[in-house]
């Protein structure tokens, strides 16, 4: 089993930055692809970004590319999502997830999920 716990969310103003963290425990996730998704009120959960386990290559959704930066520290078993130039449309619950599928970008490809952290951006 893999446990994922997100943190770092909060209420911020447009233009601010946040760094979300996802602490992992239980079974090692070094070889897993780690991803972030977000779900705004009344909307489907959408893919934000992923990072592969071994090489650490990243991939971002078009809507966040250039403002979001994903990284992982395998020694600390932690995943980070740096969010810059926050916009009101970034308001959502952000979820961390782990997948055995290297190129996973859809929800069903992820095996483990955290409980989410709320990000609210005021204009």
């Amino acid at each position: 089993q893999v446990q994922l716990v997100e943190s770092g969310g909060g209420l911020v103003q447009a233009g601010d930055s946040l760094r979300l963290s996802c602490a992992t425990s239980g079974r090692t996730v070094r070889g897993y692809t780690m991803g972030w998704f977000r779900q705004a009120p009344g909307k489907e959960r959408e893919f934000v970004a992923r990072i592969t386990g071994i090489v650490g290559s990243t991939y971002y959704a078009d809507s966040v590319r250039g403002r979001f930066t994903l990284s992982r520290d395998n020694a600390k078993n932690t995943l980070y999502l740096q969010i810059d130039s926050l916009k009101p449309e970034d308001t959502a619950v952000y979820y961390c997830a782990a997948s055995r599928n290297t190129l996973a970008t859809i929800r069903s490809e992820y095996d483990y999920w955290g409980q989410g952290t709320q990000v609210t951006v005021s204009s």
Side-chain angles (χ1 to χ4, degrees):
Q1 273 294 75
V2 174
Q3 291 79 45
L4 306 174
V5 179
E6 303 93 336
S7 61
L11 173 62
V12 297
Q13 293 187 331
D16 285 351
S17 297
L18 272 180
R19 189 175 78 158
L20 306 183
S21 298
C22 173
T24 71
S25 61
R27 184 174 181 174
T28 182
V29 295
R30 287 179 183 244
Y32 281 62
T33 285
M34 301 297 296
W36 285 94
F37 286 70
R38 65 184 181 184
Q39 188 165 16
K43 294 189 176 181
E44 295 290 318
R45 192 171 299 187
E46 65 172 353
F47 169 80
V48 172
R50 68 152 193 258
I51 184 167
T52 62
I54 304 301
V55 177
S57 62
T58 54
Y59 177 77
Y60 300 90
D62 289 343
S63 59
V64 306
R65 189 174 292 119
R67 296 190 299 118
F68 287 31
T69 304
L70 184 55
S71 61
R72 66 191 295 169
D73 185 334
N74 286 333
K76 295 183 178 180
N77 296 319
T78 303
L79 179 72
Y80 302 102
L81 183 67
Q82 176 70 35
I83 309 175
D84 297 319
S85 303
L86 276 154
K87 304 175 181 180
E89 51 264 42
D90 294 321
T91 295
V93 177
Y94 284 72
Y95 296 91
C96 169
S99 175
R100 297 180 182 89
N101 184 333
T102 301
L103 301 180
T105 57
I106 62 175
R107 184 175 179 176
S108 62
E109 293 176 319
Y110 283 80
D111 306 293
Y112 302 100
W113 291 85
Q115 294 300 305
T117 185
Q118 175 71 49
V119 173
T120 304
V121 185
S122 63
S123 57

